[in-house]
Amino acid sequence: MRRSGCLLAVLHLLAVGCSRSGLRDAGDLTASQLEAAGQSRCSVVKDPDKPLIVEWSGMDAAELEARLLRGVVAVRYEDCEMEVLRGCTAPGQYSYAQTTTGSQSIHIGSLDELLINIPLGLAQLGGRVERGEALELDMVVVGRYEAPRPAYTAAELSGGPECARATHVVTGVSLGAFRLSSVEDSARNGGGAGFSGSSEDTIEVLKESPPNMLEACAQVAAADDPRRNVCTAPIRLEVAPISAHAEALAGSQQFLRPPDLDKREVQSTDLSGSLAAHQAYDVAVKVQADRRATPERHTEAWCALAAIEQENPYLAQARELCDRWRDHASALRQSEARMIHDYDNLRVLLELRGVPVAAQERAAASFLVTHQGLTADAYPRIRAVERAKRRLGRGDRTSLPSFSTAAAGEPPPVDSQIGRSLIDRRSYRKAISVGFQPRWIPQGYGLGGSVLGRVNYVHEVGFEVAYAQYAGYGPRWRYILAMARYERVYRPHKVFRPYIGASFGALIPIGPMTCAQVLQPCAAPAGVMTVNGGARVSLTPWLSLVAQGFAGAMTARPFFVGGVSGGIEFTIPTGRDWPQ
């Protein structure tokens, strides 16, 4: 909706220089400093979390007002650049609060003053200030919108993949009226002085909202003054950075860390306890030491010990560990569910070719920050996003694997419930595969290879060439087998990947051959068409074992062809510009 191109304006500001700003000329800056200018230029803003938006166009401001009525607005706000994300909202509604009418005037006479006071307007207004014009901003505030909460987490946003780009939430909006004017000093520009030596300032109203209402809004005093319903122009936004959900969970990240067992605190020398209590303690200690045990299994073991209330020397400690493991299991499962939801949204975002790579990289970085409480070692989805972020950082488009989906009516599986050997596999979206696949047919064999091009994970098109011998009707017949081939792959991100397809081509005889029944050359080529089916076992994304069966027809005796083949296949990822 709203994007202020401050970077070009700031670099221009650096290049032009200003005696009152203290900014250096661009010639004095190194390339790395210019590159870092986008990060450091907001450091002088007076209130970076309360930017003025008086330079926004009337259409942008009207759309913002409409969105404020639908829900809490999410924005991307980085490097003095703000963009309201369409459709992305946080839970809750704004409430209107009347305020005592307050007026303020701001004089802007230099580029650094413009950057300090209206950082989002540098690109639109910087040229006027550079030409010697001064800006006068008169504001009147009569009320404000307030969000129900001061902060939100990324997991609470709703609205699809666009939310992955959100960095802040609008938590407050100052409402009222304002007038932004440009004042040009005629004497400074060498005109208007004439022979009398006097000069006049040229005043131009750049924007006023609501039109011709500034003085009337300044007179609002009573709470039931009807002019409050008119003086509702957004003047200043208050934004809060989106918190990582792990930090916003009750109890913070301590619940995401498994509770430790201090045996010195739990063990007892009281042998008068019941045998059941000692047995339950022994089971709980064994479960605690088992790294493969789920949090639910830990909770069950310690709560079972805590349930023995009579003659139990471990009761106090067991109750504590039971509660801690229960909290840990609950927080972990909630965190995993949010992570899976955000992962699916991010996967969709990376599929969109209209989204710039830089925006996709920021979304991946936001995902990793949001879910930093979950370790990459235990969660393949986190590892997949880390790999994707590295590729996006190099400027290459990439994608994320889609993991197993749950059956109807069942909750989605979390990473910790899926075997690592089956989930942490993926195939390349676009690649070229080179295979070596011996063939076995009745009374014959073939030796050759294939080259297949992969598109969008599941479609493979290519050709295969093989040397074949056949001895079914006399001396060995020697052929070159050349065929075009298509395959449709299923379960592309799994270790075991079945496929079906078809091939057509020709058997080309090599040299003169003699038939067993009639002593004459039998050198006629034959057309071949087969239906193929098989599977690949992906040892890695680039190395697979292949086995398939094929059956079909040919235009020469014996008219039927069939057999099996198997071999090894190497896969090489290709560029990102192939058609989808």
Side-chain angles (χ1 to χ4, degrees):
M1 169 183 169
R2 176 68 183 171
R3 302 191 65 180
S4 301
C6 289
L7 178 57
L8 293 178
V10 168
L11 294 182
H12 182 64
L13 182 153
L14 293 174
V16 173
C18 181
S19 60
R20 296 176 58 185
S21 66
L23 295 174
R24 294 179 294 174
D25 187 79
D28 298 329
L29 300 175
T30 64
S32 59
Q33 289 171 324
L34 284 174
E35 183 178 355
Q39 181 179 3
S40 61
R41 68 178 185 271
C42 286
S43 59
V44 298
V45 177
K46 182 183 300 183
D47 292 311
D49 292 336
K50 298 180 180 180
L52 289 168
I53 58 170
V54 294
E55 88 290 353
W56 283 22
S57 68
M59 183 177 298
D60 290 339
E63 185 170 350
L64 174 63
E65 291 184 53
R67 288 189 49 75
L68 291 172
L69 300 178
R70 299 194 206 115
V72 179
V73 178
V75 299
R76 186 190 66 80
Y77 181 36
E78 294 178 334
D79 300 337
C80 289
E81 180 179 333
M82 180 177 290
E83 177 185 0
V84 176
L85 302 178
R86 299 173 184 265
C88 183
T89 59
Q93 296 288 334
Y94 292 103
S95 60
Y96 178 77
Q98 295 182 356
T99 63
T100 303
T101 302
S103 302
Q104 182 182 6
S105 297
I106 299 177
H107 175 82
I108 299 173
S110 63
L111 287 174
D112 56 343
E113 292 178 354
L114 177 62
L115 179 61
I116 291 173
N117 292 282
I118 315 179
L120 301 183
L122 187 60
Q124 291 83 358
L125 305 174
R128 290 180 175 271
V129 177
E130 182 187 350
R131 291 193 299 269
E133 299 180 22
L135 299 178
E136 296 288 345
L137 175 60
D138 300 309
M139 301 177 291
V140 174
V141 176
V142 300
R144 56 182 280 105
Y145 281 138
E146 295 180 348
R149 289 162 48 190
Y152 292 86
T153 67
E156 294 175 301
L157 302 182
S158 61
E162 189 75 4
C163 291
R165 303 175 53 229
T167 61
H168 292 72
V169 169
V170 178
T171 57
V173 184
S174 298
L175 306 175
F178 68 88
R179 179 188 296 134
L180 180 63
S181 305
S182 171
V183 181
E184 182 178 359
D185 189 345
S186 301
R188 180 192 298 184
N189 291 283
F195 295 99
S196 63
S198 63
S199 62
E200 296 183 356
D201 292 339
T202 302
I203 301 177
E204 177 186 359
V205 177
L206 302 179
K207 186 179 179 183
E208 185 176 11
S209 181
N212 304 317
M213 286 294 295
L214 180 65
E215 289 76 12
C217 292
Q219 298 173 4
V220 172
D224 58 350
D225 193 321
R227 288 175 293 188
R228 288 187 182 272
N229 299 325
V230 180
C231 305
T232 58
I235 298 176
R236 185 189 300 272
L237 301 183
E238 296 180 14
V239 296
I242 296 174
S243 305
H245 82 270
E247 298 176 357
L249 285 174
S252 77
Q253 293 190 8
Q254 62 177 337
F255 291 121
L256 292 179
R257 293 191 296 268
D260 295 326
L261 171 65
D262 191 344
K263 293 185 178 181
R264 292 173 300 178
E265 297 179 3
V266 180
Q267 287 179 345
S268 174
T269 59
D270 186 0
L271 301 180
S272 62
S274 66
L275 180 61
H278 292 297
Q279 290 176 333
Y281 170 75
D282 188 63
V283 171
V285 170
K286 290 180 179 179
V287 172
Q288 183 81 23
D290 186 1
R291 295 184 178 181
R292 296 173 298 177
T294 64
E296 290 76 11
R297 181 70 183 94
H298 285 276
T299 304
E300 179 184 356
W302 286 109
C303 291
L305 177 60
I308 304 175
E309 299 183 356
Q310 300 296 329
E311 299 182 359
N312 184 357
Y314 315 102
L315 183 59
Q317 294 84 354
R319 285 176 175 174
E320 179 185 356
L321 286 171
C322 173
D323 293 339
R324 289 169 59 187
W325 272 110
R326 184 184 292 113
D327 292 339
H328 168 68
S330 176
L332 183 64
R333 296 304 177 227
Q334 292 179 17
S335 182
E336 289 174 334
R338 294 188 187 98
M339 183 268 291
I340 292 173
H341 177 269
D342 293 347
Y343 179 89
D344 291 339
N345 287 339
L346 179 61
R347 187 168 64 87
V348 173
L349 180 67
L350 297 190
E351 300 286 342
L352 302 178
R353 290 303 181 253
V355 178
V357 173
Q360 293 177 336
E361 182 187 7
R362 289 195 297 270
S366 176
F367 175 93
L368 295 175
V369 170
T370 300
H371 302 286
Q372 60 186 342
L374 304 177
T375 63
D377 293 338
Y379 294 92
R381 286 179 174 86
I382 302 293
R383 292 198 297 274
V385 175
E386 288 180 344
R387 291 193 296 264
K389 183 179 181 299
R390 287 194 293 269
R391 281 187 62 91
L392 293 169
R394 296 194 297 266
D396 297 330
R397 290 195 179 272
T398 186
S399 57
L400 294 172
S402 58
F403 294 104
S404 300
T405 57
E410 296 181 1
V414 297
D415 290 12
S416 58
Q417 297 172 343
I418 304 175
R420 180 188 180 109
S421 62
L422 294 180
I423 191 173
D424 194 22
R425 306 291 183 182
R426 62 164 296 173
S427 60
Y428 299 115
R429 166 183 286 276
K430 290 162 283 191
I432 293 179
S433 299
V434 179
F436 303 94
Q437 302 173 358
R439 290 172 171 262
W440 291 270
I441 57 177
Q443 299 186 2
Y445 66 91
L447 296 174
S450 63
V451 178
L452 297 173
R454 180 182 304 159
V455 178
N456 206 26
Y457 292 120
V458 297
H459 302 289
E460 297 189 349
V461 181
F463 63 90
E464 56 182 321
V465 178
Y467 167 81
Q469 285 194 354
Y470 180 70
Y473 292 91
R476 293 187 180 276
W477 298 358
R478 295 177 298 163
Y479 291 91
I480 292 295
L481 174 66
M483 304 187 73
R485 180 171 160 186
Y486 168 77
E487 294 176 356
R488 170 63 164 86
V489 180
Y490 298 90
R491 295 163 48 92
H493 302 296
K494 300 299 181 180
V495 175
F496 181 79
R497 300 184 294 154
Y499 65 86
I500 60 174
S503 302
F504 66 91
L507 279 170
I508 305 171
I510 302 176
M513 294 173 291
T514 302
C515 298
Q517 294 81 2
V518 181
L519 297 178
Q520 62 182 12
C522 295
V528 181
M529 179 176 293
T530 64
V531 176
N532 313 320
R536 291 179 177 86
V537 178
S538 298
L539 305 179
T540 70
W542 54 269
L543 178 62
S544 302
L545 300 179
V546 184
Q548 78 168 9
F550 58 94
M554 55 190 300
T555 59
R557 291 185 305 170
F559 303 111
F560 170 81
V561 62
V564 296
S565 66
I568 191 171
E569 190 174 86
F570 299 92
T571 304
I572 305 171
T574 57
R576 61 181 184 273
D577 297 324
W578 283 24
Q580 298 300 303

